[in-house]
């Protein structure tokens, strides 16, 4: 299956700072990537769909100015959490879908802790 | 209203037992359904993918079935092992290339 990497795996930051998370598709070109967040003992909630070369599509309730997504190449999408607050602490996971069978593959996730 | 549900929320079984995890979905639009395993603090590992035209898929001790008419999928784990302990998530793909909708997961503990 497809290999998806994320960096960093863990990050601790102070409230008010910005954090960038990278998601890379290592073995195929991904025109679309998805960003999810997961709170403890809860399932994954889609935040946004990242499209290469165009603006991301955000889910209802997700602030696009707070969670900046850039998909500048077919192998890299980035999520920047701007002016982070403690309530942004969560597990952020990216995924991509591999054609032609539409199988979804996930990165290992990034644990963000905002102090 | 939750589109994808999973029962039970948690399950504890002794090693060696066969078990069934259930996934139900309310929206009849389905392209495919995927089962994942998630270990604590880790990402998701794909276990099985069933296309809407298929009834089941098998991989080793795992068998997943899909019944579109009733909106259900099951994951059967044979001869469970302590290493199978994890959270199991099902996710429904509505259309090609679009995101999947996840169930809340079933936390499985297999006791040695």
């Amino acid at each position: 299956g497809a290999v998806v990497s994320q960096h960093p795996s863990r990050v601790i930051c102070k409230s008010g700072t910005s954090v960038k998370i990278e998601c890379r598709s290592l073995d195929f070109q991904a025109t679309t990537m998805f960003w999810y967040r997961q709170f403890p003992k809860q399932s994954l909630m889609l935040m946004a769909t990242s499209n290469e070369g165009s603006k991301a599509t955000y889910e209802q309730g997700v602030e696009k100015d707070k969670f900046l997504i850039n998909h500048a190449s077919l192998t890299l999408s980035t999520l920047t959490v701007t002016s982070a607050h403690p309530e942004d602490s969560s597990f952020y996971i990216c995924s991509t879908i591999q054609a032609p069978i539409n199988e979804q593959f996930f990165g290992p996730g990034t644990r963000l802790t905002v102090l | 209203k939750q589109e994808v549900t999973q029962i039970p929320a948690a399950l504890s079984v002794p090693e060696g037992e066969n078990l069934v995890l259930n996934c139900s979905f309310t929206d009849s639009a389905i392209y495919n359904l995927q089962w994942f395993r998630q270990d604590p603090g880790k990402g998701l590992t794909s276990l099985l993918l069933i296309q809407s035209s298929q009834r089941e898929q098998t991989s080793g001790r795992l068998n997943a079935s899909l019944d579109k008419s009733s909106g259900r999928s099951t994951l059967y784990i044979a001869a469970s092992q302590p290493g199978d302990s994890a959270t199991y998530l099902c996710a429904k793909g509505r259309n090609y290339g679009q995101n999947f909708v996840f169930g809340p997961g079933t936390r499985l503990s297999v006791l040695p």
Side-chain angles (χ1 to χ4, degrees):
Chain A
V3 180
V4 181
S5 71
Q6 274 185 249
H7 178 79
S9 58
R10 292 178 179 270
V11 58
I12 300 174
C13 68
K14 294 182 178 180
S15 186
T17 60
S18 295
V19 174
K20 179 186 284 188
I21 303 170
E22 293 185 349
C23 176
R24 291 183 185 274
S25 173
L26 299 183
D27 55 357
F28 78 101
Q29 295 179 331
T31 56
T32 302
M33 291 184 176
F34 303 100
W35 285 96
Y36 295 84
R37 67 187 295 181
Q38 184 180 36
F39 292 107
K41 297 187 177 181
Q42 294 187 25
S43 191
L44 281 73
M45 295 299 295
L46 180 69
M47 298 177 64
T49 301
S50 171
N51 303 297
E52 187 268 336
S54 64
K55 292 182 179 180
T57 303
Y58 290 82
E59 294 300 298
Q60 192 171 14
V62 177
E63 300 175 57
K64 62 181 181 181
D65 294 331
K66 181 170 184 61
F67 298 99
L68 301 179
I69 291 174
N70 183 278
H71 194 154
S73 78
L74 289 172
T75 59
L76 174 64
S77 175
T78 60
L79 168 67
T80 301
V81 183
T82 63
S83 187
H85 289 102
E87 57 265 31
D88 298 326
S89 298
S90 186
F91 193 54
Y92 292 85
I93 314 178
C94 68
S95 76
T96 188
I97 292 180
Q98 189 172 33
I101 61 173
N102 206 60
E103 186 170 4
Q104 190 170 199
F105 293 95
F106 282 84
T110 297
R111 172 75 58 193
L112 170 64
T113 303
V114 184
L115 303 177
Chain B
K1 181 181 177 183
Q2 203 161 27
E3 183 175 340
V4 180
T5 58
Q6 289 185 248
I7 294 174
L11 180 64
S12 184
V13 300
E15 181 177 6
E17 271 202 11
N18 302 325
L19 58 99
V20 176
L21 307 181
N22 297 290
C23 173
S24 299
F25 46 93
T26 54
D27 184 353
S28 60
I30 176 169
Y31 188 88
N32 52 15
L33 188 135
Q34 196 167 356
W35 282 92
F36 295 89
R37 167 191 175 133
Q38 185 177 30
D39 293 289
K42 304 293 185 183
L44 276 67
T45 301
S46 177
L47 298 174
L48 289 165
L49 172 71
I50 309 177
Q51 303 296 342
S52 61
S53 59
Q54 298 173 324
R55 293 242 173 158
E56 64 178 337
Q57 284 286 338
T58 298
S59 176
R61 294 182 292 110
L62 305 179
N63 175 277
S65 67
L66 175 63
D67 184 344
K68 289 190 299 180
S69 62
S70 65
R72 293 180 184 176
S73 176
T74 61
L75 179 66
Y76 175 83
I77 303 177
S80 58
Q81 303 171 359
D84 294 331
S85 298
T87 296
Y88 290 81
L89 296 148
C90 68
K92 183 174 78 75
R94 276 179 286 202
N95 287 300
Y96 182 82
Q98 294 185 358
N99 68 287
F100 284 54
V101 178
F102 280 83
T106 294
R107 286 196 309 281
L108 173 65
S109 295
V110 181
L111 307 175

